[in-house]
Short mmCIF file of all heavy atoms in Angstrom, two decimals:
data_model
loop_
_atom_site.label_atom_id
_atom_site.label_comp_id
_atom_site.label_asym_id
_atom_site.label_seq_id
_atom_site.Cartn_x
_atom_site.Cartn_y
_atom_site.Cartn_z
N VAL A 154 84.28 63.05 107.06
CA VAL A 154 84.12 64.24 106.26
C VAL A 154 83.29 64.03 105.01
O VAL A 154 83.30 62.93 104.35
CB VAL A 154 85.54 64.70 105.74
CG1 VAL A 154 85.47 65.91 104.85
CG2 VAL A 154 86.45 64.87 106.92
N GLY A 155 82.35 64.92 104.79
CA GLY A 155 81.35 64.68 103.63
C GLY A 155 82.08 64.75 102.29
O GLY A 155 83.28 65.16 102.26
N PRO A 156 81.36 64.47 101.25
CA PRO A 156 81.97 64.63 99.85
C PRO A 156 82.36 65.94 99.46
O PRO A 156 83.25 66.02 98.60
CB PRO A 156 80.88 63.99 99.02
CG PRO A 156 79.53 64.15 99.83
CD PRO A 156 80.03 64.06 101.19
N ASP A 157 81.85 66.95 100.09
CA ASP A 157 82.19 68.30 99.78
C ASP A 157 83.47 68.76 100.54
O ASP A 157 84.00 69.79 100.22
CB ASP A 157 81.07 69.26 100.01
CG ASP A 157 80.52 69.15 101.49
OD1 ASP A 157 81.01 68.32 102.19
OD2 ASP A 157 79.72 70.10 101.87
N GLY A 158 83.92 67.94 101.44
CA GLY A 158 85.27 68.21 102.22
C GLY A 158 84.92 69.19 103.34
O GLY A 158 85.98 69.84 103.84
N ARG A 159 83.75 69.47 103.78
CA ARG A 159 83.48 70.42 104.90
C ARG A 159 83.49 69.54 106.24
O ARG A 159 83.27 68.47 106.28
CB ARG A 159 82.13 71.09 104.65
CG ARG A 159 82.08 71.86 103.49
CD ARG A 159 80.82 72.71 103.48
NE ARG A 159 80.85 73.73 102.41
CZ ARG A 159 81.32 74.94 102.60
NH1 ARG A 159 81.63 75.29 103.77
NH2 ARG A 159 81.34 75.88 101.63
N CYS A 160 83.71 70.37 107.33
CA CYS A 160 83.71 69.93 108.62
C CYS A 160 82.33 69.47 109.07
O CYS A 160 81.31 70.17 108.85
CB CYS A 160 84.20 70.99 109.64
SG CYS A 160 84.20 70.52 111.34
N PRO A 161 82.21 68.23 109.72
CA PRO A 161 80.90 67.63 109.99
C PRO A 161 80.37 68.52 111.20
O PRO A 161 79.11 68.48 111.46
CB PRO A 161 81.10 66.25 110.42
CG PRO A 161 82.57 66.10 110.51
CD PRO A 161 83.27 67.27 109.88
N ARG A 162 81.09 69.14 112.09
CA ARG A 162 80.66 69.88 113.19
C ARG A 162 80.24 71.34 112.84
O ARG A 162 79.02 71.64 113.10
CB ARG A 162 81.75 69.94 114.32
CG ARG A 162 81.25 70.60 115.51
CD ARG A 162 82.22 70.94 116.64
NE ARG A 162 82.66 69.66 117.23
CZ ARG A 162 83.68 69.56 117.95
NH1 ARG A 162 84.51 70.58 118.15
NH2 ARG A 162 83.99 68.38 118.59
N CYS A 163 81.10 72.13 112.28
CA CYS A 163 80.86 73.48 112.15
C CYS A 163 80.57 73.94 110.58
O CYS A 163 80.22 75.06 110.40
CB CYS A 163 82.03 74.36 112.61
SG CYS A 163 83.49 74.26 111.79
N GLY A 164 80.89 72.98 109.68
CA GLY A 164 80.65 73.32 108.32
C GLY A 164 81.88 74.17 107.66
O GLY A 164 81.70 74.62 106.65
N GLY A 165 82.98 74.26 108.39
CA GLY A 165 84.14 74.99 107.81
C GLY A 165 84.67 74.24 106.48
O GLY A 165 84.63 73.06 106.40
N ALA A 166 85.08 75.10 105.56
CA ALA A 166 85.51 74.56 104.35
C ALA A 166 86.93 73.97 104.28
O ALA A 166 87.25 73.27 103.43
CB ALA A 166 85.36 75.61 103.30
N ARG A 167 87.71 74.49 105.23
CA ARG A 167 89.20 74.07 105.18
C ARG A 167 89.52 73.02 106.25
O ARG A 167 89.62 73.27 107.38
CB ARG A 167 90.11 75.19 105.65
CG ARG A 167 90.23 76.26 104.57
CD ARG A 167 91.26 77.34 104.83
NE ARG A 167 91.60 77.19 106.39
CZ ARG A 167 92.68 77.88 106.90
NH1 ARG A 167 93.36 78.59 106.09
NH2 ARG A 167 92.89 77.75 108.12
N MET A 168 89.65 71.82 105.84
CA MET A 168 90.08 70.62 106.60
C MET A 168 91.45 70.35 106.42
O MET A 168 91.97 70.18 105.26
CB MET A 168 89.20 69.48 106.45
CG MET A 168 87.75 69.61 106.85
SD MET A 168 87.38 69.63 108.56
CE MET A 168 87.71 68.09 109.16
N VAL A 169 92.34 70.33 107.48
CA VAL A 169 93.79 70.11 107.38
C VAL A 169 93.97 68.56 107.53
O VAL A 169 93.57 67.99 108.49
CB VAL A 169 94.53 70.95 108.45
CG1 VAL A 169 95.98 70.64 108.35
CG2 VAL A 169 94.19 72.40 108.32
N LYS A 170 94.76 68.04 106.68
CA LYS A 170 95.03 66.63 106.72
C LYS A 170 96.29 66.40 107.61
O LYS A 170 97.28 66.92 107.37
CB LYS A 170 95.34 66.10 105.35
CG LYS A 170 95.52 64.57 105.36
CD LYS A 170 95.72 63.98 104.05
CE LYS A 170 95.89 62.49 104.05
NZ LYS A 170 96.14 61.94 102.72
N LEU A 171 96.03 65.50 108.64
CA LEU A 171 97.09 65.13 109.61
C LEU A 171 97.56 63.80 109.23
O LEU A 171 96.65 62.83 109.11
CB LEU A 171 96.68 65.26 110.99
CG LEU A 171 96.17 66.60 111.41
CD1 LEU A 171 95.59 66.46 112.88
CD2 LEU A 171 97.17 67.69 111.41
N SER A 172 98.74 63.44 109.26
CA SER A 172 99.17 62.00 109.08
C SER A 172 100.23 61.69 110.24
O SER A 172 101.11 62.40 110.49
CB SER A 172 99.73 61.70 107.67
OG SER A 172 100.92 62.51 107.55
N PHE A 173 100.00 60.59 110.70
CA PHE A 173 100.79 60.07 111.76
C PHE A 173 101.62 58.80 111.32
O PHE A 173 100.88 57.94 110.72
CB PHE A 173 100.01 59.77 113.15
CG PHE A 173 99.17 60.95 113.65
CD1 PHE A 173 97.96 60.90 113.43
CD2 PHE A 173 99.90 61.97 114.35
CE1 PHE A 173 97.17 62.02 113.78
CE2 PHE A 173 99.15 62.98 114.69
CZ PHE A 173 97.83 63.02 114.47
N GLY A 174 102.77 58.69 111.68
CA GLY A 174 103.52 57.50 111.33
C GLY A 174 104.20 57.73 109.96
O GLY A 174 104.08 58.65 109.33
N GLY A 175 104.90 56.68 109.61
CA GLY A 175 105.63 56.72 108.34
C GLY A 175 107.01 57.37 108.38
O GLY A 175 107.74 57.33 107.35
#
Side-chain angles (χ1 to χ4, degrees):
V154 178
D157 57 354
R159 293 187 171 269
C160 175
R162 181 189 289 166
C163 70
R167 286 189 345 170
M168 294 292 286
V169 179
K170 184 177 181 181
L171 306 173
S172 62
F173 303 102

